Structure formats: C-alpha cells, structure tokens
C-alpha cells in the first residue's frame, strides 16, 4: 500500500490510493479509476490536524469509474490532489519521450492558445501539436514539472477547478542550457473517470538560454560519491526528527595545503573529503578522527587554541544520538581529537558560527539549538526550544557558555546563525534564523554584551527561517541580509482556506510563513524588505544559500539549496 507522509508543518492535503499497481504512473490509469484502485483515502485538514477519511468506492456498474456526485462533497485541496497526479503523469511522459500519451489528459473539447502568440484559441489537436513543437526545441529535457500557484472552484460547478499553473522546463538547446517557465490559467475537471484539462488561458513564457554550459556534474569522477551503508539505526520514536534537519556542508582548506577540502555532516559517520590538489577527493574522516558519528547538522572549522591550524566544531542532535552531543574536535596536526571542550551540550544542536564577539583576540563559538520534534509548538511563534549557546573562548582550550551574561536569550527553533558588522562600528553582530517564528538580530554593544534589535530595525523576518547570509547585494558598502525561508504554494492555499475566521493581520503573518525568502536592504543601520523588487523570493523549500560571482562579471550571484519530499517518489523533492 502506498503511503503519503505529511510534511513537518502539516500543510498537505493528498490522496491515498489503496491496492494500486506499481505501473500506475506509466499505464495511463487515472487517479480515481477503480480498475486500478479498490479504495480511496483522502487526507484533509480539520482544526489544523491532518486526518484520513474513507471515500466511497467507485461504482462497478458504471464501468469502474468514480461517481462525480461523491467528488462534489470534497474540499478544494482534496480535489486538487487528483488534478496534481494527472499533471505529474504528463510531466513523467514528456521526460520519458512519450509525447503522444499526453493527449489523454486533454479533454475532447479542450481549447488553448498557441504558444507562439498567434492565436488565443486552438482546438485540442492543434494545441497539442504546437505544444509538442515547442518542447521539441529542447535537444534534451533534464527536468519538467507543473506547480499550482493558486486554485479555486470554477463558478457553477462543484468539481471543476480553476488553476494558475507554472510549468518549468529545464534542458539544453545545442550546447547551451535553457530554462523556460510558462505561466497560464487553466481549468481541470474529472471527465470519464480521469482528471483532464478543459482549457488553458493565454500563456506567458520566460524562456532563457545560457551562452554556454557553466557547470557540469562530476561528483563520481572526482571521488565525492557518498555511501550511506553505515547509517545509524534509528529508534522508532525518533523517526520524526529525520523529517526536520539533516546534514550540512563546509568548504574550506582544512589542512592548510592551499586547496579547498569538503566536510559533510549527516546521521552517522561524517565525511571529510581531502583534496589532493589535482581536483580529486578522498574521504579520510575515519583515518583522521573527524568522522564523529552523531546526528550531524552544522559544522565549523575555526582556529580556537592559537596553534595555527583549524579545529572543528560539530553540532549534533543529541536527542537522536545522545552519546554524540555537540562537540569540539581539536586539530593535533595529523588527527582530530575530541575531549568534550564544550562540556555536556544537550539537546538538538543545529547551527554553528564563529567570531571574536568580545574583541579579546581569539574566536568564540555560537551554537544554535532546535526544539524536540515530538513536542507541541506554535507554527508561527515557537519559543520553547532550549536556549542557544555562546561559548566564550579563553584561548587555552576552555570554552564556557556566556550566552545569558552576554544578553543572548533566544529560545526559538534555531536553524542558522551568522555574525556580521551590519552597523560598521567595528564589532560583530549576530543574526539568528528561527524555524516556526521570527528571526532575531543582536547588536553588539562593544563591551561583550548584546541587545536584541530586530523589531526596532526592521529585521524581524517572520517565516520558517532556515538560513541567513550577510551580503552587500547593492554594493553600497554595508551588509544587507538575506533570510532563507520556505516557499510553498500549497501551504499558502491551505492557510487561505483554513483561516477565514482570523483577522487580516494574522492571516497575512501566517501566509508569510510559506511566502519564501527575504532580502533586507541595509539603509544605514535599518532594514527594508526589497524581496519583490530584486526577485529573490521564490526559491522553493529553501535551506541555505551562498553568494559568489560565478560568471566573473563583478557582481554576486546566489546558489540556493532547496527541496523536500511529500511521498516516496524522489521526483516529489
């Protein structure tokens, strides 16, 4: 039996199809066709809880198809699950060069525009010919996917859905990469037992081509293919924690030989890929003692003891692997040695950041902590995580937690933190990204203490904070702030549908939780949200970002890591 696992915030309404065959995605069976499915279970939200309800089986006297009178009783999001399944099948067929098969999902009376803009209304065959011709302009399609940006019931019909759709096509044309984004309104409905398009509205196309291919995937060739056979066995009660945060990556010269090495944290023994200077890597983690073996998240290579080499701090989830808490691994030249330099750091360690916050000449360490995935918490104002930690370094391999004394009192569900001098006064300020709530900005007073000023300065970004970077994106000489959050159209739709009784201010705040990333421009020490102006908001379910000038044109570009899953299929990431 297939299962659909709700996401960590419960913003899912989906369909469970019991007793289905494994070939359903390529056989052409519709999502409500009883010839392939015996029963249907629908996930729906009720008072913010995800429950399952049984749907009456299809009528065998009617050719094994569903009865539309039953579908009319479902909620909009529940109906959308069937339409989404049909669009996924279209995408799969295009990717597997089965273009002829996509016509099944366009109703006989379908009407749509020409993609060259010459006609606003084409009948089904002419439209499909034009659609296939447009896609044939790609020599190779690497990825293709539909996304529903908005959904509502078509007026006058309980089972017709009016969608705003984004179709993204990534591939090659000749030697250049090509990325096309098509946006259009559409109407879908169940027709003869299958979800089908009835019409497409006018299509806007953003079709971009690179002059050359800048990046080629060479993971296996350079020795970076990771093997996870030695993963730690997980106690059943802790499995929910895996749906939250898992793993991190550091790129730095760990051994001081002049080239960049790679350190990867995970659940189990971490990877330490040493660069041989010729572009190949070998995992030496177990040999040099840097493997750790906890539930690793953040990591930081930093000079802590004044001996000239980089020590290693690894933030671990001690709720999952209590024998491996957050720790320091001291660099002894040839090996790393753990001696509990941070003391007994309990809880769910996530973020690590380093800076000389007290200006005494050595680097100190901030460690962010997350809440327990099994405990209840607010979706938008979670403040019940263990307090974050700020370890003051005395330079003699002794670090003590000075967070409270320094004025750091964050109990949000921290996922990231970064130091930077936003007010150009010579000392390091601290920005903390909190999941399920509001981020915090701590101004360094210059005397070893901090003041929380996020609301005062306009930096209190509300969202599922997962990452943050200081960057001078407008090149005016001060640090702007880029906050990485979750962008989820499904999440926004569910919130809109469920929160009609709440105040407009509350609804706007909760919709921001699924509204994407935020660019905060620094205007002389205060911050202004310019996300819409600079076009950096919609980056999917984002986890972190780095800025670099990939095309050597003098300005900073950004790379954003994103993805999450809602079912067993990898393509749902």
């Amino acid at each position: 039996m297939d299962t659909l696992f709700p996401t960590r915030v419960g913003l899912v309404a989906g369909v469970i199809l019991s007793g289905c065959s494994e070939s359903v995605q390529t056989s052409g069976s519709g999502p409500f066709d009883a010839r392939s499915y015996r029963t249907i279970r629908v996930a729906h939200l009720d008072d913010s809880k995800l429950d399952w309800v049984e749907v009456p089986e299809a009528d065998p006297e009617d050719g094994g198809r569903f009865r539309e009178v039953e579908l009319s009783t479902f909620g909009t999001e529940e109906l959308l699950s069937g339409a989404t399944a049909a669009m996924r099948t279209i995408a799969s067929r295009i990717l597997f060069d089965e273009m002829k098969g996509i016509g099944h999902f366009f109703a006989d009376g379908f009407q749509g525009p020409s993609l060259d803009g010459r006609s606003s209304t084409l009948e089904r065959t002419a439209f499909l010919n034009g659609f296939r011709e447009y896609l044939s302009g790609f020599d190779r399609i690497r990825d293709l996917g539909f996304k529903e940006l908005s959904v509502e019931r078509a007026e006058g019909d309980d089972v017709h859905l009016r969608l705003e759709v984004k179709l993204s096509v990534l591939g090659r044309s000749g030697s250049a990469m090509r990325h096309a984004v098509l946006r259009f309104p559409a109407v879908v409905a169940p027709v003869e037992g299958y979800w089908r398009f009835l019409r497409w509205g006018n299509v806007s196309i953003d079709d971009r081509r690179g002059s050359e291919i800048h990046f080629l995937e060479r993971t296996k060739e350079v020795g970076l293919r990771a093997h996870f056979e030695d993963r730690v066995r997980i106690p059943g009660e802790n499995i929910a924690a895996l749906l939250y945060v898992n793993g991190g990556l550091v790129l730095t010269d760990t051994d001081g030989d002049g080239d960049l090495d790679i350190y990867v944290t995970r659940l189990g023994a971490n990877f330490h890929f040493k660069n041989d200077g010729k572009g190949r890597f070998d995992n030496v983690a177990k040999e040099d003692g840097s493997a750790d073996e906890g539930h690793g998240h953040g990591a930081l290579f930093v000079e802590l003891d004044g001996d000239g080499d980089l020590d290693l701090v690894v933030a671990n989830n001690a709720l999952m692997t209590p024998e491996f808490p957050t720790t320091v691994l001291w660099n002894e030249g040839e090996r790393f040695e753990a001696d509990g330099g941070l003391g007994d750091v309990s809880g769910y360690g996530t973020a690590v950041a380093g800076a000389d916050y007290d200006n005494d000449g050595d680097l100190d360490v901030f460690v962010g902590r997350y809440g327990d995935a099994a405990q209840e918490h607010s979706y938008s104002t979670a403040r019940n995580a263990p307090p974050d930690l700020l370890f003051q370094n005395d330079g003699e391999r002794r670090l003590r937690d000075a967070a409270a004394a320094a004025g750091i009192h964050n109990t949000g569900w921290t996922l990231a933190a970064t130091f930077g001098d936003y007010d150009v006064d010579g000392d390091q300020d601290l920005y903390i990204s909190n999941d399920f709530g509001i981020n915090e900005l701590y101004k360094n007073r210059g005397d070893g203490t901090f003041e929380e000023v996020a609301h005062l300065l306009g930096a209190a970004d509300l969202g599922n904070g997962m990452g943050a970077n200081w960057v001078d994106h407008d090149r005016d000489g001060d640090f702007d702030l880029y906050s990485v959050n979750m962008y989820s159209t499904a999440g926004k739709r569910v919130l809109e549908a469920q929160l009609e009784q709440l105040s407009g201010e509350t609804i706007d705040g909760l919709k921001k939780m699924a509204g994407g990333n935020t660019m905060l421009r620094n205007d002389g020490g205060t911050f202004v949200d310019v996300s819409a102006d600079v076009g950096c908001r919609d980056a999917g379910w984002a986890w972190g970002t780095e800025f670099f000038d990939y095309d050597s044109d003098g300005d900073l570009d950004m790379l954003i890591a994103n993805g999450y899953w809602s079912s067993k299929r990898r393509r749902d990431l």
Side-chain angles (χ1 to χ4, degrees), residues 533-554:
D533 298 332
V534 302
C536 62
R537 179 169 288 159
D538 179 2
W541 197 303
W543 293 96
T545 185
E546 287 294 339
F547 289 83
F548 66 111
D549 184 9
Y550 88 92
D551 51 4
S552 302
D553 64 353

Side-chain angles (χ1 to χ4, degrees), residues 299-421:
L300 176 70
F301 283 87
V302 57
E303 163 61 295
L304 293 175
D305 55 4
D307 63 356
D309 49 30
L310 296 179
D311 308 298
L312 173 61
V313 183
V314 180
N316 283 322
N317 176 8
L319 301 178
M320 181 77 72
T321 53
E323 68 275 27
F324 292 101
T326 297
T327 190
V328 176
L329 301 175
W330 299 104
N331 191 334
E332 304 291 1
E334 297 296 325
R335 286 186 56 80
F336 289 86
E337 301 288 346
D339 70 351
L342 296 180
D344 183 15
V345 183
S346 62
Y348 197 155
T350 53
V352 188
D356 182 12
Y357 83 90
D358 53 3
N359 297 316
D360 66 350
D362 49 36
L363 293 174
D364 311 294
V365 176
F366 172 88
V367 175
R369 293 195 287 184
Y370 201 71
D372 186 343
Q375 75 182 111
E376 293 186 3
H377 60 85
S378 167
Y379 174 61
S380 60
T381 57
R383 307 295 300 174
N384 58 341
D388 292 335
L389 307 169
L390 179 64
F391 289 98
Q392 189 176 39
N393 184 2
D394 70 358
E396 300 293 334
R397 292 195 174 185
R398 291 190 298 269
L399 297 99
R400 65 178 185 86
D401 177 27
I408 304 293
H409 301 291
N410 180 52
T411 56
W413 291 46
T414 300
L415 283 180
T418 180
F419 284 98
D421 184 9

Side-chain angles (χ1 to χ4, degrees), residues 191-260:
V191 178
E192 296 180 351
Y194 304 95
W195 282 95
R196 293 184 166 121
F197 283 111
L198 301 186
R199 59 182 175 271
W200 282 17
N202 289 333
V203 178
S204 67
I205 302 177
D206 182 5
D207 196 328
R208 303 187 183 190
R209 309 185 192 205
S211 58
E212 60 181 289
I213 299 174
H214 293 280
F215 298 96
L216 296 174
E217 200 270 314
R218 292 288 183 265
T219 309
K220 184 176 181 180
E221 290 86 340
V222 301
L224 288 175
R225 185 58 58 93
H227 299 282
F228 291 86
E229 289 82 355
D230 58 341
R231 290 179 70 103
V232 173
R233 184 175 295 277
I234 306 163
E237 64 271 17
N238 288 328
I239 190 67
L242 285 181
L243 294 176
Y244 282 62
V245 192
N246 192 14
L249 182 147
V250 180
L251 185 66
T252 191
D253 184 5
T254 66
D255 53 4
D257 64 354
D259 46 37
L260 293 176

